[in-house]
């Protein structure tokens, strides 16, 4: 994995961890105060998926 992808992978993981820490679990998962953190976590997960897709595309380009 290239350094570029590793940096973004680490950033997204830290981003998800911070948002998991910020959720108030006593209010409930889908409470109005927690929805901003849920959207942020989903954006981080989507970012990780995009990083892996770009990494796999770069591996396919190297094989040709």
């Amino acid at each position: 994995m290239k350094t570029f992808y590793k940096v973004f992978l680490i950033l997204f993981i830290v981003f998800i961890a911070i948002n998991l820490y910020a959720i108030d679990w006593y209010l409930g998962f889908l409470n109005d105060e927690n929805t901003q953190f849920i959207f942020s976590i989903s954006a981080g997960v989507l970012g990780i998926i995009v990083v892996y897709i770009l990494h796999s595309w770069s591996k396919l380009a190297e094989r040709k």
Side-chain angles (χ1 to χ4, degrees):
M1 189 175 269
K2 294 181 183 178
T3 307
F4 180 74
Y5 298 130
K6 288 180 185 177
V7 168
F8 278 102
L9 185 65
I10 291 170
L11 283 175
F12 285 129
I13 290 173
V14 168
F15 188 66
I16 290 171
I18 289 170
N19 284 309
L20 279 174
Y21 180 75
I23 289 178
D24 190 4
W25 295 101
Y26 294 110
L27 292 177
F29 191 69
L30 293 175
N31 192 0
D32 288 338
E33 293 181 16
N34 288 335
T35 53
Q36 63 184 354
F37 302 120
I38 302 300
F39 287 131
S40 297
I41 290 170
S42 62
V45 170
L46 185 65
I48 289 174
I49 291 169
V50 169
V51 166
Y52 278 120
I53 289 171
L54 291 174
H55 174 65
S56 63
W57 281 355
S58 70
K59 286 170 94 177
L60 290 174
E62 290 174 1
R63 290 183 186 169
K64 290 184 178 182

